[in-house]
Amino acid sequence: MPAKAEKRAFGGGRKPSERPSKICPVCGLPFSWRKKWERDWDSVKYCSDRCRAAAKAAQ
């Protein structure tokens, strides 16, 4: 049998508890990797649009 080609994204294919996470600088809560952020996880700073808007309003 041929070896199964394994395509593994940064967080995909892992259990939710094993996915990478970050701390939101606005609300201080942890948030974890989502499929939506697969391509630009390194540039994701905020956990939500609400926190991003609050950071922008505070400037």
Side-chain angles (χ1 to χ4, degrees):
M1 287 175 69
K4 183 179 177 184
E6 202 174 311
K7 181 182 176 189
R8 186 171 225 179
F10 192 69
R14 298 181 190 179
K15 295 178 187 176
S17 62
E18 295 174 352
R19 293 180 183 158
S21 64
K22 294 182 180 182
I23 304 294
C24 178
V26 175
C27 65
L29 297 175
F31 63 99
S32 58
W33 183 93
R34 290 172 46 187
K35 179 72 173 173
K36 178 179 177 180
W37 296 325
E38 183 174 20
R39 292 186 181 180
D40 58 347
W41 175 247
D42 293 333
S43 64
V44 173
K45 294 180 184 178
Y46 307 107
C47 64
S48 64
D49 290 335
R50 181 179 179 180
C51 284
R52 185 173 53 243
K56 188 174 182 181
Q59 289 179 349

